[in-house]
């Protein structure tokens, strides 16, 4: 057999197979050499040779070079250059039937037989076609059996890290580390950084990159230097610190720049700069507007603050301006010493604090200096602990204003008592004079009783020497009494509406602010809605409208809730424009309309629903509770002034709410005035003791709670919680009555009535919400819904509509209203006692708006 060399093999396939075999041999022989070489380059590029002594560098370098030479020698011995025949055999082994070997072979037998020769040629032609289609054989480059610990990959990873974080030029530092020149190998070099104070937010400077001969840095910047090489080759000279530094040669230098001066590095590659220190400016703060009283009585004081790097915190110090106080009446005596008021200034949660304007909102209504002349001094502090102070701002300390004359008088006596304890006798005399003839002055029996209790305690404390704790106790009680009289706790909706109208009239006479007028108008709106709902309830209960709601001419007025809202909006608009005469006239017309108004009842009402029946039952319970409270009050009066009950009953009748008062004594409470005049003993004989009647009323309330509608809704749950509180208060009143503690019983009964009212309001909202959710159940004209306002405080429209005629921001000055909302959000954000989820929500609002 002889070989044939003109084979039809594709040259590219054969060449690629040959190259693959060469790559196999090369990698299998020299992978240790390349691994050692990559490890050496990685160490040099990372600059590890600069971190150790030169002896260690040369020792490790010698071992690395020996290893490199050894792996090169072993690899050269293992390397075998593949031949063309071996490439043919690799390619032939990858083809089916080994066609290359078949083409090389010769026919051994049958060479003279024509048929045998023809068969042999056909076989070779078939093999030739297979060879012509041959593909290159992929090389086997796997080294896992030769490198089980993957050392080649570790070396490659080190080289990649060195290429990313190191420098190829660091390899040259090895050339300077010649034997006998260790000092030169380490080289005279230095590094330095300028680190500004962290609160400035400025970046750190690398001194070697600073080419400008003058370097401006903030005051308090820290300069750090490191000297490499022989000690003494470099030195530092600087004049930026109080003592300065002259030719310091320590390897590490660290100092804080306090003033401008020279900064010089002496030695090889030395540099020098003129340091210009930028001084930290003190923060600036000033009052940016007039101090005003908001609707709730909080003081609102705008202020502006600025600093070069931002204000960190601030405070306001409020002190009494005694020289400007009008020293008359209770302020004639010398005041008791009191500490100045110190409050924190609100800071922006987001945004730049370098220059901003904010509002200080605090409530000083209960402070003894309320409405008295004070001086307000603002202070701001920056991160360098520098303080800036504003000029004292003189103003009357804004606080809550009381428009009810009786409430204002009580608050004035409270101020006099807090001014000095020497006024205790005068205050007690004033309170006794006020409460001498209460019939025409007090609208609430509870308020009158509380005043008498406060008066007795004050006189008792004053007799034995009024102490500071007792002074604070009486002042707190007087404040609560003033708020009670100002806000009112009347059960009758008509009286509440009249009360709101009177307060609004007093506010117009006394020149109230826009915020106070808006608050009083809102109170009038709510009272009017309650009154109209009460009218509708009476109409449904009696089957017809009360004839007392008729006008004097026998005619009646019919209007929707939107009509009333437009009238009240007009009154508020006139007052905000300063047209008080027109506003007063419009308010009088509104009062007359409300007296003569008749609500149009919806058609086709049919039987009362479950919710209406529940509301009727709760209303009856409230009336009976009012009757019990009135009877307990008369019994208490009889204890203090025996025999005077009959003479005072008529006066109490008027104070208890007129017509509503007469109704409250029907049912369990008796049969009206005639029964009351028979005396307490007769009444108990006929109807049982007050404690028994209170217990029966509490049992009735428990029964009504069983079938209360609105289960599962927030309004329904709120109604049940309020009724639970009412039940507990009734239980406390019953215990007090059995213990003959009438004063405590009256307080508990007042809490029970307030809880009942709150429960009825929540139940009404639940019923109104349920009515809106049911299709085809829209209310007719004049159907007064519960006080179902949207989150912006707007009342819904009439006839079940969701839209309203009220503006979104309720006023022409929309920017002022938006600012007020933002201020309120910021104020609530500063109250750390609020739930964390609410604080996070408020912060998200501030970040967005």
């Amino acid at each position: 057999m002889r070989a044939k060399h003109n084979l039809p093999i594709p040259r590219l396939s054969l060449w690629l197979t040959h190259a693959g075999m060469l790559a196999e041999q090369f990698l299998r022989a020299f992978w240790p050499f390349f691994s050692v070489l990559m490890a050496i380059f990685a160490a040099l590029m990372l600059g590890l040779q600069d971190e150790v002594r030169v002896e260690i560098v040369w020792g490790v370098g010698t071992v690395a070079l020996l290893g490199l030479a050894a792996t090169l020698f072993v690899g050269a011995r293992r390397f075998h250059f593949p031949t063309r025949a071996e490439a043919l055999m690799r390619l032939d082994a990858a083809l089916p039937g080994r066609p290359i070997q078949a083409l090389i072979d010769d026919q051994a037998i049958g060479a003279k037989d024509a048929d045998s020769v023809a068969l042999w040629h056909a076989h070779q032609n078939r093999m030739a076609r297979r060879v012509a289609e041959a593909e290159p054989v992929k090389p086997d480059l796997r080294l896992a059996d030769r490198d089980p610990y993957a050392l080649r990959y570790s070396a490659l990873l080190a080289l990649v890290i060195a290429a990313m974080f190191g420098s190829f030029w660091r390899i040259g530092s090895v050339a300077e580390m010649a034997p006998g020149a260790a000092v030169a190998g380490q080289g005279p070099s230095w590094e330095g950084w300028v680190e500004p104070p962290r609160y400035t937010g400025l970046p750190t400077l690398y001194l070697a990159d600073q080419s400008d001969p003058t370097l401006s840095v903030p005051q308090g910047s820290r300069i750090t230097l490191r000297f490499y090489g022989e000690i003494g080759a470099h030195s530092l000279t600087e004049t930026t610190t109080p003592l300065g530094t002259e030719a310091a040669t320590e390897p590490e230098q660290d100092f804080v720049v306090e003033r401008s001066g020279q900064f010089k590095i002496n030695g090889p590659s030395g540099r020098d700069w003129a340091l210009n220190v930028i001084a930290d400016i003190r923060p600036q703060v000033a009052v940016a507007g007039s101090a005003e009283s908001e609707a709730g009585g909080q003081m609102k004081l705008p202020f502006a603050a600025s600093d070069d790097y931002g204000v960190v915190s601030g405070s306001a110090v409020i002190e009494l301006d005694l020289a400007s106080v009008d020293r008359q009446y209770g302020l004639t005596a010398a005041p008791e010493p009191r500490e100045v008021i110190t409050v924190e200034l609100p800071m922006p949660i987001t945004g730049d604090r370098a220059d901003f304007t904010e509002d200080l909102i605090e409530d000083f209504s209960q402070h003894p200096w309320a409405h008295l002349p004070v001086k307000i001094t603002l202070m701001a502090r920056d991160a360098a602990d520098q303080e800036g102070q504003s000029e004292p701002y003189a103003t009357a300390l804004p606080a809550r204003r009381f428009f009810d004359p009786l409430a204002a008088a009580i608050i004035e006596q409270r101020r006099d008592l807090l001014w000095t304890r020497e006024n205790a006798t005068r205050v007690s005399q004033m309170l006794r004079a006020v409460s001498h003839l209460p019939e025409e002055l007090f609208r609430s029996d509870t308020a009158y009783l509380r005043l008498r209790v406060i008066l007795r305690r004050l006189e008792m404390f004053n007799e034995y020497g009024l102490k500071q704790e007792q002074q604070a106790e009486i002042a707190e009680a007087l404040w609560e009494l003033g708020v009670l009289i100002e806000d009112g706790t009347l059960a009758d909706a008509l009286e509440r509406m009249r009360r709101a109208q009177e307060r609004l009239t007093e506010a117009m006479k006394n020149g109230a602010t826009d915020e106070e007028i808006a608050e009083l108008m809102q109170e009038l709106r709510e009272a009017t809605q309650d009154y109209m709902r009460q009218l509708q309830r009476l109409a449904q209960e009696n089957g017809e409208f009360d004839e007392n709601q008729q006008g004097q001419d026998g005619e009646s007025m019919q209007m929707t809730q939107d009509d009333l809202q437009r009238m009240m909006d007009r009154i508020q608009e006139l007052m905000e424009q300063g047209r008080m005469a027109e506003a007063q006239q419009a308010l009088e017309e509104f009062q007359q309309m409300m007296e003569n108004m008749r609500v149009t009842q919806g058609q086709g009402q049919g039987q009362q629903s479950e919710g209406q029946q529940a509301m009727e039952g709760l209303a009856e319970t409230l009336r009976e509770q009012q009757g019990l409270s009135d009877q307990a009050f008369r019994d208490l009066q009889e204890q203090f002034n025996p025999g005077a009950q009959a003479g005072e009953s008529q006066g109490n009748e008027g104070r208890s709410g007129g017509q509503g008062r007469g109704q409250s004594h029907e049912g369990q409470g008796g049969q009206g005035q005639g029964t009351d005049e028979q005396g307490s003993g007769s009444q108990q004989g006929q109807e049982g003791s007050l404690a028994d009647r209170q217990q029966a009323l509490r049992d009735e309330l428990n029964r009504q709670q069983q079938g209360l509608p609105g289960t599962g809704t927030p309004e329904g749950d709120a109604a049940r919680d309020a009724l639970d509180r009412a039940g507990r208060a009734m239980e406390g009143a019953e215990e007090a009555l059995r213990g003959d503690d009438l004063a405590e019983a009256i307080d508990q009964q007042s809490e029970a009535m307030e809880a009942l009212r709150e429960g009825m309001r929540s139940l009404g909202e639940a019923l109104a919400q349920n009515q809106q959710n049911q299709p085809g159940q829209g209310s007719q004209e004049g159907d007064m819904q519960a006080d179902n306002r949207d989150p912006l405080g707007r009342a819904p429209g009439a006839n079940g509509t969701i839209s309203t005629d009220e503006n979104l921001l309720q006023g022409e000055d929309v920017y002022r209203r938006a600012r007020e909302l933002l201020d309120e959000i910021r104020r609530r954000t500063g109250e750390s006692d609020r739930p964390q989820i609410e604080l996070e929500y408020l912060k998200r609002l501030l970040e967005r708006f």
Side-chain angles (χ1 to χ4, degrees):
M1 180 184 296
R2 60 184 180 83
K4 296 182 180 180
H5 300 288
N6 52 347
L7 299 175
I9 303 174
R11 291 185 178 182
L12 180 60
S13 299
L14 181 61
W15 183 83
L16 291 176
T17 302
H18 194 191
M21 295 177 66
L22 180 62
E24 288 180 7
Q25 291 293 325
F26 188 81
L27 287 179
R28 292 173 182 176
F30 292 106
W31 73 264
F33 172 78
F34 286 110
S35 298
V36 174
L37 185 62
M38 288 188 294
I40 294 174
F41 270 96
L44 295 177
M45 292 172 65
L46 289 173
L48 300 182
Q49 70 277 9
D50 298 331
E51 304 296 329
V52 297
R53 296 190 306 172
V54 64
E55 293 83 359
I56 298 178
V57 173
W58 281 106
V60 175
T62 301
V63 173
L65 290 177
L66 290 177
L68 195 64
T71 53
L72 181 61
F73 176 76
V74 173
R77 293 195 59 181
R78 290 180 178 177
F79 181 74
H80 168 69
F81 196 89
T83 63
R84 184 175 184 274
E86 291 175 345
L88 286 174
M89 291 302 98
R90 172 71 66 86
L91 188 62
D92 188 32
L95 297 174
R98 304 183 67 87
I100 296 178
Q101 185 64 42
L103 293 177
I104 295 175
D105 293 342
D106 292 328
Q107 185 176 359
I109 58 175
K112 297 181 179 181
D113 185 2
D115 293 336
S116 178
V117 171
L119 181 60
W120 175 253
H121 286 306
H123 172 67
Q124 284 193 322
N125 290 335
R126 186 169 63 252
M127 294 296 103
R129 287 194 297 270
R130 290 184 181 180
V131 171
E133 297 175 355
E135 298 289 338
V137 180
K138 295 181 180 180
D140 184 11
L141 302 180
R142 292 178 300 173
L143 300 176
D145 55 340
R146 292 174 171 79
D147 182 19
Y149 299 106
L151 298 178
R152 62 191 187 282
Y153 291 131
S154 300
L156 179 61
L157 177 62
L159 182 61
V160 171
I161 294 175
M164 295 175 61
F165 302 102
S167 174
F168 182 78
W169 304 109
R170 289 190 176 182
I171 299 177
S173 63
V174 180
E176 300 178 359
M177 298 181 180
V183 175
Q186 291 181 355
S189 59
W190 59 269
E191 285 184 306
W193 300 268
V194 179
E195 183 181 1
R198 184 170 298 179
Y199 67 82
T200 63
L202 299 177
T204 300
L205 302 178
Y206 187 60
L207 283 175
D209 296 338
Q210 307 305 313
S211 57
D212 196 334
T214 301
L215 195 60
S216 297
V217 296
Q219 185 178 12
S221 298
R222 180 176 296 275
I223 296 181
T224 303
L225 293 175
R226 290 181 183 175
F227 296 153
Y228 305 114
E230 183 180 0
I231 297 177
H234 290 83
S235 63
L236 166 67
T237 300
E238 57 88 14
T239 61
T240 62
T241 57
L243 299 179
T245 302
E246 182 69 27
T249 59
E250 288 80 3
E252 292 191 4
Q253 303 285 338
D254 190 348
F255 62 94
V256 176
V257 178
E258 297 293 342
R259 61 189 181 188
S260 299
Q262 296 296 319
F263 171 60
K264 184 176 182 180
I265 299 176
N266 305 301
S269 303
R271 298 278 298 277
D272 66 284
W273 293 271
L275 288 183
N276 178 28
V277 174
I278 304 174
D280 194 337
I281 303 175
R282 288 181 177 273
Q284 304 292 323
V285 62
V287 176
S290 301
E292 298 177 353
S293 177
E294 293 192 327
Q298 300 94 340
M299 180 192 73
K300 178 180 178 182
L301 178 65
F303 68 93
S306 61
D307 186 67
D308 45 2
Y309 297 113
V311 179
V312 174
S313 62
S315 61
V317 178
I318 305 175
E319 57 182 345
L320 180 65
D321 187 5
L322 188 59
S324 301
V325 176
D326 186 9
R327 305 292 295 276
Q328 60 178 347
Y329 305 118
L331 304 180
T332 304
E336 294 180 355
R338 291 189 179 274
E339 297 182 357
V340 297
I341 306 173
T342 302
V343 294
E344 294 294 325
L345 293 179
M347 296 288 113
I349 297 178
T350 59
D352 188 14
R353 292 190 179 184
D355 190 1
F356 64 92
T357 301
E358 279 289 343
D359 293 325
L360 172 63
I361 300 178
E362 292 288 341
D363 190 357
F364 300 111
S365 299
Q366 299 188 47
H367 197 274
W369 298 343
H371 299 296
L372 293 179
V374 295
K375 292 181 179 179
I376 303 177
T377 303
L378 305 181
M379 289 185 292
R381 185 177 298 104
D382 62 7
D385 207 25
Q386 298 184 109
E387 287 189 355
Q389 184 172 309
S390 68
E391 294 293 332
Y393 172 72
T395 182
L397 186 60
R400 175 172 178 173
R401 299 179 61 184
F402 289 82
F403 298 103
D404 184 276
L406 177 58
I410 291 176
I411 296 302
E412 181 181 355
Q413 296 308 308
R414 174 185 179 274
R415 181 204 63 186
D416 294 347
L417 181 62
L418 291 174
W419 181 261
T420 176
R421 279 171 283 177
E422 297 178 2
N423 288 333
T425 302
R426 179 181 181 276
V427 171
S428 61
Q429 292 173 351
M430 294 293 295
L431 294 180
R432 181 167 292 280
V434 167
S435 60
H436 178 60
L437 296 175
E439 289 79 6
E440 301 299 330
L441 190 60
F442 286 88
R443 296 183 176 87
S444 170
D445 296 338
T446 302
Y448 170 70
L449 178 60
R450 288 191 179 183
L451 178 60
R452 299 295 296 182
V453 172
I454 294 171
L455 177 59
R456 288 196 302 273
R457 292 183 63 83
L458 177 59
E459 291 175 343
M460 181 184 65
F461 291 154
N462 192 34
E463 182 179 356
Y464 296 99
L466 184 64
K467 299 179 180 180
Q468 189 173 2
E469 298 79 7
Q470 298 167 345
Q471 178 190 32
E473 177 187 343
I474 296 299
E476 179 66 23
L478 288 174
W479 174 263
E480 294 178 356
L481 177 60
V483 173
L484 175 66
I485 297 174
E486 178 75 8
D487 294 341
T489 58
L490 300 177
D492 193 282
L494 177 59
E495 182 62 27
R496 183 186 172 197
M497 185 184 64
R498 291 171 177 169
R499 179 76 180 124
Q501 293 169 354
E502 291 176 3
R503 292 186 62 194
L504 188 59
T505 301
E506 291 293 332
M508 287 190 289
K509 292 179 181 178
N510 296 333
T513 63
D514 292 344
E515 290 78 7
E516 292 170 336
I517 289 176
E519 182 183 22
L520 294 174
M521 285 301 303
Q522 181 64 27
E523 180 183 352
L524 178 59
R525 288 188 175 95
E526 294 175 356
T528 303
Q529 291 172 359
D530 290 343
Y531 174 58
M532 297 182 71
R533 282 196 297 268
Q534 181 71 5
L535 285 179
Q536 184 189 16
R537 186 194 63 78
L538 292 175
Q540 293 176 350
E541 178 182 359
N542 300 329
E544 59 182 6
F545 291 96
D546 197 309
E547 62 182 6
N548 291 328
Q549 307 302 327
Q550 300 277 347
Q552 295 178 359
D553 54 358
E555 298 179 357
S556 61
M557 298 184 61
Q558 299 181 7
M559 60 176 59
T560 65
Q561 188 173 359
D562 283 349
D563 295 332
L564 297 177
Q565 292 292 344
R566 280 191 289 269
M567 292 180 64
M568 287 185 284
D569 290 341
R570 177 58 178 167
I571 296 173
Q572 183 174 359
E573 180 181 357
L574 291 173
M575 287 189 292
E576 291 176 351
Q577 294 175 357
R579 299 156 64 180
M580 293 302 175
E582 299 179 29
Q584 181 66 33
Q585 182 179 0
L587 181 60
E588 293 175 357
E589 295 176 356
F590 175 78
Q591 292 172 348
Q592 294 177 1
M593 288 183 180
M594 293 304 299
E595 292 291 339
N596 300 329
M597 187 180 63
R598 171 183 173 183
V599 180
T600 304
Q601 187 178 14
Q603 301 298 326
Q605 292 291 332
Q607 281 189 335
Q608 289 183 335
S609 64
E610 180 183 358
Q612 292 172 337
Q613 294 176 358
M615 289 290 289
E616 292 299 329
L618 292 176
E620 182 66 24
T621 301
L622 178 60
R623 288 195 298 272
E624 293 177 358
Q625 182 63 76
Q626 180 67 59
L628 287 177
S629 179
D630 292 344
Q631 182 61 46
F633 177 72
R634 285 193 296 275
D635 291 347
L636 185 61
Q637 282 183 317
E638 179 67 20
Q639 289 182 2
F640 287 104
N641 192 8
Q645 181 183 7
E648 294 181 355
S649 61
Q650 299 298 328
N652 292 336
E653 183 79 20
R655 293 193 307 270
S656 300
Q659 179 185 351
R661 163 72 175 83
Q663 293 175 356
S664 67
H665 286 275
E666 295 177 3
Q668 293 183 16
Q671 299 299 324
Q673 302 173 13
T675 305
D676 294 339
E677 294 174 354
Q678 294 174 3
S680 176
S682 175
Q683 190 175 30
Q684 291 180 2
Q686 294 179 5
E687 305 169 7
S689 66
L690 289 177
D692 294 338
R693 292 162 58 191
Q694 185 67 71
Q695 179 183 4
L697 191 59
R698 179 169 58 87
D699 295 340
E700 175 64 19
L701 178 62
N702 292 336
R703 185 194 64 77
Q704 293 172 350
Q705 288 182 260
Q706 302 301 321
L708 203 65
T711 305
T713 63
E715 295 83 359
D717 294 339
R720 284 171 170 78
D721 293 341
L723 295 181
D724 287 340
R725 294 197 304 271
R728 291 191 295 270
M730 288 181 180
E731 184 177 1
E734 177 190 347
E735 295 176 356
L737 288 172
R738 296 191 186 281
D740 201 23
D741 188 355
L742 294 177
E744 177 64 21
I746 292 174
D747 289 340
Q748 293 291 339
Q749 289 170 341
S750 298
E751 294 181 9
M753 288 186 288
E754 185 63 30
L756 280 172
R757 296 188 190 98
E758 182 179 348
M760 293 177 65
R761 285 194 297 269
S762 299
L763 180 59
E765 292 174 1
L767 296 178
Q769 185 68 26
N770 183 48
Q771 187 178 19
Q772 289 181 359
N773 294 335
Q774 294 179 358
Q777 298 295 325
S779 60
Q780 301 294 329
E781 181 181 3
D783 184 10
M784 296 296 102
Q785 301 175 357
D787 191 7
N788 187 22
R789 293 181 174 270
D790 66 7
L792 294 178
R794 299 175 300 171
N799 299 327
T801 60
I802 300 177
S803 61
T804 175
D805 294 334
E806 293 187 55
N807 293 331
L808 181 63
L809 293 179
Q810 300 182 356
E812 297 179 358
D813 191 357
V814 296
Y815 298 103
R816 177 183 63 81
R817 178 58 176 161
R819 182 66 181 178
E820 290 175 354
L821 292 175
L822 183 60
D823 292 341
E824 179 64 17
I825 294 175
R826 288 174 174 168
R827 185 187 67 78
R828 296 188 181 186
T829 306
E831 297 177 356
S832 58
D833 55 345
R834 289 183 175 273
Q836 185 63 28
I837 186 172
E838 180 180 353
L839 292 177
E840 293 176 356
Y841 171 70
L842 293 174
K843 290 179 180 179
R844 289 197 299 271
L845 287 180
L846 287 177
E847 292 174 357
R848 182 171 184 180
F849 299 105

